[in-house]
Amino acid sequence: MNVTDLVLELQNVETYYGKIHALRGISCSVRAGEIVTLLGANGAGKSTTLRTISGLNRASKGTIIFMGEDITGKQPHEIVEMGLIHVPEGRRIFKGMTIKENLELGSFTLKDDSERQKRMDHVFELFPILHERRNRDSAMLSGGEQQMLAMGRSLMTKPKLLLLDEPSMGLAPFLVKEIMRIIVRLNKEGVTILLVEQNARVALQLASHGYVLETGRIVLKGDAETLRRDESIVKAYLGE
């Protein structure tokens, strides 16, 4: 692996929730242009890994390197300004504000109004339904539309790395296909993605490689095709 290709690297990262040892020596990496997935049961540490990377949880040990810079001790807003964007589980949109206002909040680091409009136009091109309803209170959106808005808001920053936490959770199958289509398109446009996804079959179809977590540890890793054929993965996550 060429070190210059690395967008993200975790080196023996440990995280606690109070006295609970949530991450136990996590080491993983993401290269430029990849989709990498984290697999595991509920409580395995997938969301905690993303929250630790984005600074929402503080690593007690280890190192997190983004674009060649140690970000382990940085504040979340500093990490956002570097181009590492986290779309958390549950969408976390701002209800009581319009779609357009939610998107504008996503571009808080921008000073150039023309660039802000350019990025908003791109979001509306990706998600036409958001353009149709741009002046509607976001509280009126369906679950799928809220997920589109959460992803669209993240794109207003023009991310170098996008952390996606359970983007298909609670969505109807046709909406899952649409969200996954958008993820593939964003990746083809140059966005590197670290994906936590409950649907392991879909995640392994999208990703180039993945990591499997159990109780805060990585127990398996490999390219997506190898993981799809691994008997333990098939039994635990693919329902076969």
Side-chain angles (χ1 to χ4, degrees), residues 97-115:
M97 300 178 68
T98 66
I99 288 172
K100 186 171 182 289
E101 288 168 338
N102 267 267
L103 293 175
E104 288 171 343
L105 278 176
S107 62
F108 75 95
T109 60
L110 276 181
K111 301 294 188 286
D112 186 338
D113 288 340
S114 63
E115 180 63 22

Side-chain angles (χ1 to χ4, degrees), residues 93 97-103 120 123-124 127-146 148-149 174-175:
I93 63 170
M97 300 178 68
T98 66
I99 288 172
K100 186 171 182 289
E101 288 168 338
N102 267 267
L103 293 175
M120 190 172 295
V123 170
F124 286 151
F127 303 107
I129 191 67
L130 297 184
H131 182 259
E132 289 178 26
R133 303 180 180 184
R134 60 191 178 279
N135 295 315
R136 182 176 296 187
D137 189 327
S138 60
M140 304 295 291
L141 300 179
S142 69
E145 291 163 352
Q146 288 184 20
M148 292 176 188
L149 178 54
F174 77 95
L175 284 173

Side-chain angles (χ1 to χ4, degrees), residues 44-90:
K46 306 183 301 298
S47 293
T48 301
T49 300
L50 298 192
R51 288 177 59 85
T52 302
I53 293 167
S54 64
L56 296 174
N57 291 122
R58 185 58 57 91
S60 58
K61 292 182 181 178
T63 305
I64 303 169
I65 299 171
F66 174 61
M67 303 298 291
E69 183 173 343
D70 186 347
I71 63 168
T72 314
K74 288 188 178 294
Q75 295 297 316
H77 72 274
E78 295 175 311
I79 293 172
V80 167
E81 289 171 356
M82 295 176 68
L84 194 161
I85 309 300
H86 183 184
V87 182
E89 179 184 350

Side-chain angles (χ1 to χ4, degrees), residues 19 42 74 78 112 114 138 172 195 205 209 214 224 240:
K19 295 183 178 179
N42 289 338
K74 288 188 178 294
E78 295 175 311
D112 186 338
S114 63
S138 60
L195 173 67
Q205 287 173 348
H209 70 275
E214 289 183 7
E240 297 177 1

Side-chain angles (χ1 to χ4, degrees), residues 40-41 198 200 212 214 230-240:
Q198 61 177 345
V212 181
E214 289 183 7
D230 187 285
E231 187 174 335
S232 63
I233 299 295
V234 171
K235 289 181 178 178
Y237 305 113
L238 302 185
E240 297 177 1

Side-chain angles (χ1 to χ4, degrees), residues 18-36:
K19 295 183 178 179
I20 298 173
H21 201 172
L23 298 184
R24 301 168 179 262
I26 296 289
S27 294
C28 62
S29 61
V30 181
R31 290 182 294 181
E34 287 188 321
I35 299 177
V36 175

